[in-house]
Amino acid sequence: MGAEQVRAGFEELYGTASEGVWAAPGRVNLIGEHTDYNDGFVMPFALPHTAVAAVSRRADGVLRLHSADVEGGVVELRVDDLAPESDRNWTAYPSGVVWALREAGHPVTGADIHLASTVPAGAGLSSSAALEVVVALALNDLYELGLKGWQLARLCQRAENVYVGAPVGIMDQTASACCEEGHALFLDTRDLSQKQIPFDLAAEGMRLLVVDTQVKHSHSEGEYGKRRAGCERGAALLGVDALRDVPYAGLDSALERLGDDEEAVRLVRHIVTEDERVEKVVSLLESGDTRAIGPVLIAGHASLRDDFRISCPELDLVVDTALAAGALGARMTGGGFGGSAIVLAEAADVDTITKAVEEAFATAEFTAPRVFEAVPSAGARRVG
């Protein structure tokens, strides 16, 4: 849904014109999975799919929320009544942002908000982060708060961690707020330093496909939290602040120290090797050897499947089928337990690979996947 449609929807709902329209994208993570809450490295890029919000300020402490994507009317809340984990509906994401801004001392006195999103929900493409960031950016502009993209990302992460109750890292919100068109974002999640890495596959005759398996996941449910707690336990056992502090060259020694703690061994091995894979992809892209990232993606999937154990039959089928059909690389992306996989391919092979994946899903009697090209796009911005 475009900016003009959302603007018109706002006027129809609230009987007055909005003060502006903003958009924030979903994201695909090229490499660096579950490293963000371990102070590690990630490399997402923004999708053309966005959450769009038409917004106006209110001075009376009322927050009115409406989504074109959810059945039901306008939800009305009072900003003074917003409290962590008090809302289990979609409204927790935008209202959580208002709560986080106010908790940080910013004078947000209410708003009318109308939202619509083209980011597939539950596909591991950060639909919730897009929703948070678009609201944060709109309120930042309207209330002239002067916050930078990385600061908005931090507040949105706090909203999701504390208000929604989902233990997510900082990557998704930073990607939505800070990515640039034609680039992937190399982000150090410890100090939030960023580097924009040129990533224009079309110019090199390649494509990156997203295959949405249609298997839905929820970060608020237990498995994601269990992995995070397990990583924190591994760091404690090794006497480091975070698994980021375990050097790749010292991995074997670290794993020996964990002894027969099989779960800790697996989780630590994934995080340490995944950070190394991110740095390898950065080096390959900067040297112009883009096709060589394919095997790194494949290794990343094997680690997520076997060590972190967050894949599922549908994701594995995408990866195995795409590689057999000639893909350069493939892996699951996102939080896991469903969602999407990415496939790096020569442009000439896209149709063959897509057909092979669709046929494999039909043979396995899985729900038909949604396949689309991922084009590195702009981060959050005002669009009207």
Side-chain angles (χ1 to χ4, degrees), residues 2-282:
E4 288 309 312
Q5 287 172 288
V6 176
R7 183 195 301 278
F10 182 100
E11 291 187 27
E12 185 176 334
L13 277 170
Y14 299 121
T16 184
S18 67
E19 292 186 87
V21 184
W22 290 260
R27 66 95 190 98
V28 162
N29 193 23
L30 182 62
I31 193 75
E33 220 62 81
H34 287 263
T35 49
D36 59 345
Y37 55 79
N38 288 286
D39 282 3
F41 305 123
V42 295
M43 201 172 185
F45 63 88
L47 288 167
H49 307 72
T50 59
V52 181
V55 184
S56 287
R57 289 167 291 180
R58 295 182 68 100
D60 59 358
V62 171
L63 174 65
R64 294 197 293 181
L65 302 168
H66 184 268
S67 170
D69 309 311
V70 180
E71 286 189 15
V74 173
V75 176
E76 184 170 314
L77 305 166
R78 293 204 61 82
V79 296
D80 288 340
D81 295 338
L82 301 178
E85 299 194 51
S86 60
D87 187 349
R88 295 299 179 191
N89 300 306
W90 71 269
T91 49
Y93 296 99
S95 63
V97 170
V98 174
W99 170 85
L101 286 166
R102 286 169 55 83
E103 280 285 297
H106 300 294
V108 177
T109 54
D112 287 339
I113 300 173
H114 174 55
L115 293 148
S117 180
T118 57
V119 185
L125 303 175
S126 298
S127 58
S128 60
L131 202 59
E132 293 157 358
V133 170
V134 74
V135 170
L137 180 62
L139 296 175
N140 183 56
D141 286 357
L142 290 175
Y143 282 97
E144 299 180 344
L145 304 179
L147 298 170
K148 305 291 187 185
W150 66 269
Q151 293 172 305
L152 294 176
R154 268 269 168 90
L155 285 163
C156 289
Q157 182 200 16
R158 177 166 168 75
E160 192 154 351
N161 287 170
V162 180
Y163 195 90
V164 178
V168 298
I170 191 67
M171 173 181 68
D172 296 351
Q173 292 84 0
T174 305
S176 187
C178 301
C179 278
E180 294 181 4
E181 186 175 357
H183 293 75
L185 177 68
F186 177 38
L187 173 67
D188 182 335
T189 65
R190 169 163 282 170
D191 62 13
L192 298 189
S193 59
Q194 303 177 15
K195 188 174 185 181
Q196 300 287 345
I197 308 295
F199 190 53
D200 185 358
L201 292 175
E204 299 186 61
M206 286 176 285
R207 300 289 187 271
L208 190 77
L209 302 177
V210 173
V211 182
D212 176 4
T213 65
Q214 307 284 347
V215 178
K216 304 303 181 187
H217 71 274
S218 172
H219 282 174
S220 298
E221 292 173 5
E223 292 298 326
Y224 183 99
K226 287 179 186 176
R227 298 306 186 280
R228 182 166 186 161
C231 288
E232 291 168 354
R233 188 173 69 85
L237 289 170
L238 293 170
V240 294
D241 290 338
L243 293 182
R244 149 74 172 277
D245 297 312
V246 179
Y248 180 71
L251 177 59
D252 289 344
S253 171
L255 297 183
E256 283 179 17
R257 286 161 54 202
L258 293 171
D260 59 0
D261 191 331
E262 187 257 352
E263 180 189 50
V265 166
R266 287 190 291 99
L267 297 181
V268 169
R269 183 166 53 215
H270 168 71
I271 297 300
V272 176
T273 58
E274 187 78 346
D275 275 334
E276 174 73 6
R277 282 186 284 271
V278 177
E279 293 189 289
K280 188 169 186 178
V281 168
V282 171

